[in-house]
């Protein structure tokens, strides 16, 4: 009851923010139609009641979680699908609205649900008893990481400001985390998506005097900066993690941290696991590339137009990406679900970094970040998600078979079970869910 009460209170605050958005987009009469009226006042009352109920459910669901932002964002996307796309049409006597055209028309509602989820999570975090200690050194490292990453991505005249803000807020919200480079990379990409909604979609039009432009047309224009924000968040988080590791290596006398959590074999074995897993994912990805005729484009990297050469280059790249996965995610997946979660998220990130960014640059063009380019690259996104899922699953199964020499099989299993439990209390499942939602939203944002 206590968790439900806190959740209801947090939901009311989130509902106030979302309600303000609904006033601006004129959506309250639609909500009021649930009780057979078109009064905006009644619509606001119904909306606040629903916000409190949904918030109380959220409070119960995340009662044991240690961080809430990404759970809130994922919860907001879930209720956008369950609410205006599913339950609301049914309550109004119509069919479910599971088509791209309706989803595009409801993009303002999607952004409102994201705002509701983020605000509800933030308020609930403030109401929950937890020790929060701000470390100035971490803020400096994260801000520096944002400033170093932003110039590489061409985010416009406000790029450095956004980079510094992304870094500073990353440190304040998440604090010092011992999660490894791979999970930090995915966390940063998800945080970059949140900052894209905040900065490019919301704050930038307000600063330019255009007001709150959450229309589908405005979002299609802003989507050109989405890949940049994803890479900014990922790069900032990764560099912050590396700088933290460097600081601990130089200034810390406690060597036990480097010996904890060794649930798998040596690094050389992990690299071979990455080669095998990357090759397995590449074979799956090949089917998509053949279907869309993309192998000659890959072959152009070495000055050829042959599909056979493209296949060889593609499989080599798949293995290289598999090795990077082994380096970044070693000892971070403890069951098939987490392997698939991290792998699919990594595949999505490589769609942004590889297909949309590095590939065009290596072919002598500019990054393909426009809405039209993202729409054309959607089949490749499906391939990258499949590749990543297979990569993560195969790597996890291979890694699980190898235990440190000083642990028995039962001890290694117990250690993995404990680590899996700890991961379930973190935002890892929410990160996997949110990244998947972002990937599935691409056609709606750009069509």
């Amino acid at each position: 009851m206590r968790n439900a009460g806190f959740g209801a209170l947090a939901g009311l605050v989130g509902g106030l923010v979302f309600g303000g958005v609904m006033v601006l987009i004129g959506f309250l009469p639609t909500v009021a139609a649930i009780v057979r009226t078109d009064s905006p006042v009644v619509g606001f009352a119904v909306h606040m009641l629903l916000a409190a109920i949904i918030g109380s459910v959220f409070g119960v669901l995340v009662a044991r979680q240690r961080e809430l932002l990404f759970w809130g964002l994922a919860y907001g996307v879930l209720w956008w699908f369950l609410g205006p796309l599913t339950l609301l049409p049914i309550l109004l006597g119509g069919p479910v609205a599971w088509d791209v055209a309706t989803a595009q028309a409801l993009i303002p509602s999607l952004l409102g649900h994201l705002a509701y989820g983020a605000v509800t999570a933030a308020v609930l975090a403030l109401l929950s008893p937890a020790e929060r200690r701000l470390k100035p050194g971490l803020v400096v490292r994260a801000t520096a990481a944002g400033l170093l990453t932003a110039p590489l991505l061409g985010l416009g005249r406000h790029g450095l400001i956004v980079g510094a803000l992304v870094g500073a807020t990353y440190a304040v919200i998440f604090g010092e985390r011992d999660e490894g480079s791979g999970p930090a990379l995915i966390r940063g990409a998800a945080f970059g998506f949140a900052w894209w909604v905040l900065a490019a979609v919301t704050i930038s039009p307000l600063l330019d005097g255009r007001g709150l432009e959450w229309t589908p047309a405005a979002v299609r224009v802003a989507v050109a900066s989405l890949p940049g924000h994803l890479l900014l968040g990922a790069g900032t988080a990764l560099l912050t993690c590396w700088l933290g590791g460097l600081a601990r290596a130089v200034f810390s006398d406690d060597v036990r941290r480097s010996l904890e959590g060794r649930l798998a074999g040596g690094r050389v074995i992990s690299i071979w696991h990455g080669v095998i897993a990357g090759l397995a994912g590449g074979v799956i990805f090949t089917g998509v590339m053949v279907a869309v005729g993309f192998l000659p484009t890959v072959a152009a990297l070495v000055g050829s137009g042959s599909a056979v050469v493209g296949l060889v280059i593609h499989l080599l790249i798949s293995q290289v990406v598999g090795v990077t996965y082994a380096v970044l995610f070693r000892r971070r997946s403890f069951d098939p679900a987490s392997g698939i979660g991290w792998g699919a998220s990594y595949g999505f990130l490589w769609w942004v970094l590889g297909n949309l960014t590095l590939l065009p640059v290596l072919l002598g063009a500019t990054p393909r970040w426009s809405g039209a380019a993202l729409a054309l690259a959607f089949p490749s996104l499906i391939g990258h998600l499949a590749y990543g899922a297979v990569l993560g699953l195969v790597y996890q199964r291979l890694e699980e078979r190898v235990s440190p020499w000083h642990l028995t099989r039962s001890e290694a299993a117990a250690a993995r079970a404990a680590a899996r439990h700890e991961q379930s209390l973190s935002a890892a499942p929410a990160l996997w869910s949110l990244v998947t939602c972002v990937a599935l939203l691409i056609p709606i944002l750009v069509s």
Side-chain angles (χ1 to χ4, degrees):
M1 292 301 296
R2 175 177 175 274
N3 295 327
F6 280 170
L9 180 58
L12 285 173
V13 179
L16 284 174
V17 175
F18 191 7
V21 174
M22 296 180 82
V23 170
L24 293 176
I25 65 177
F27 200 72
L28 288 177
T30 303
V31 178
I34 296 175
V35 292
R36 303 300 184 265
T37 181
D38 59 356
S39 168
V41 176
V42 175
F44 186 78
V46 173
H47 161 71
M48 292 301 294
L49 176 61
L50 294 175
I53 295 173
I54 293 171
S56 67
V57 174
F58 181 69
V60 173
L61 291 176
V62 300
R64 297 182 181 274
Q65 300 301 316
R66 293 171 182 165
E67 55 177 304
L68 302 179
L69 174 62
F70 295 123
W71 284 111
L73 292 172
Y75 193 63
V77 176
L78 173 65
W79 269 103
W80 175 69
F81 177 77
L82 290 178
L85 292 180
T86 306
L87 296 178
L88 183 59
I90 292 175
L91 291 174
L92 297 180
V96 295
W98 293 353
D99 59 276
V100 174
T102 304
Q104 283 182 316
L106 290 172
I107 282 179
S109 177
L110 167 63
L111 298 174
H113 277 83
L114 287 170
Y116 168 82
V119 172
T120 300
V123 174
L124 190 58
L126 293 175
L127 293 174
S128 303
E131 181 181 354
R132 298 178 179 85
R133 184 174 60 182
L134 184 63
K135 296 183 177 180
L138 174 62
V139 176
V140 172
R141 291 197 302 271
T143 303
L147 288 172
L148 290 172
T149 306
L152 303 176
L153 302 173
L155 294 177
R157 65 184 187 277
H158 301 308
L160 286 177
I161 298 175
V162 173
L165 290 174
V166 168
T169 53
Y170 181 88
V172 171
I173 293 174
F174 303 117
E176 194 82 59
R177 311 200 63 81
D178 184 20
E179 61 182 356
S181 300
L185 194 68
I186 304 305
R187 176 188 296 275
F191 193 57
F193 169 73
W195 258 100
W196 172 73
V197 174
L198 180 63
V201 178
T202 305
I203 295 179
S204 182
L206 291 174
L207 292 178
D208 291 341
R210 289 177 284 149
L212 188 65
E213 270 196 333
W214 280 5
T215 62
V219 172
R220 278 197 295 273
V221 173
V223 83
S225 65
L226 174 59
H229 281 83
L230 293 173
L231 295 178
L232 173 61
T236 299
L238 184 62
L239 192 53
T240 301
C241 181
W242 286 351
L243 290 175
L246 179 63
R248 288 191 296 270
V250 173
F251 299 111
S252 176
D253 295 327
D254 188 357
V255 298
R256 291 172 297 178
R257 291 174 62 92
S258 62
L259 302 176
E260 294 175 350
R262 295 200 168 186
L263 305 180
R267 287 181 173 83
V268 175
I269 296 177
S270 293
I271 288 175
W272 280 111
H273 288 168
V275 170
I276 297 171
L279 183 60
V283 170
I284 298 298
F285 195 179
T286 299
V288 176
M289 301 190 78
V290 170
V292 300
F294 200 71
L295 288 175
T297 303
V298 178
L301 290 171
V302 293
S304 173
S306 168
V308 176
V309 174
L311 175 61
V312 174
I313 299 300
H314 160 67
L315 293 178
L316 288 174
I317 294 174
S318 298
Q319 294 174 67
V320 172
V321 174
V323 170
T324 64
Y325 181 86
V327 171
L328 294 172
F329 290 89
R330 181 170 174 259
R331 306 191 306 270
R332 298 299 168 182
S333 53
F334 310 109
D335 57 13
S338 60
I340 293 173
W342 290 129
S345 300
Y346 195 58
F348 172 74
L349 190 59
W350 265 103
W351 176 70
V352 178
L353 179 61
N355 187 277
L356 300 180
T357 308
L358 293 180
L359 180 61
V361 170
L362 292 174
L363 294 177
T366 58
R368 296 181 299 183
W369 289 358
S370 66
L374 266 66
L376 290 174
F378 185 72
S380 176
L381 171 59
I382 301 301
H384 277 83
L385 292 175
Y387 165 81
V390 174
L391 166 67
L393 176 61
V394 173
Y395 182 81
Q396 187 276 326
R397 302 306 292 173
L398 291 172
E399 187 181 55
E400 188 178 41
R401 296 173 61 88
V402 181
S403 300
W405 62 269
H406 56 85
L407 292 180
T408 66
R409 184 175 296 273
S410 60
E411 288 173 334
R416 285 193 182 90
R420 182 168 58 248
H421 176 68
E422 286 295 311
Q423 188 177 75
S424 69
L425 298 179
S426 71
L431 284 172
W432 310 331
S433 303
L434 184 59
V435 170
T436 303
C437 288
V438 173
L440 297 178
L441 286 172
I442 293 296
I444 296 171
L445 297 176
V446 303
S447 295

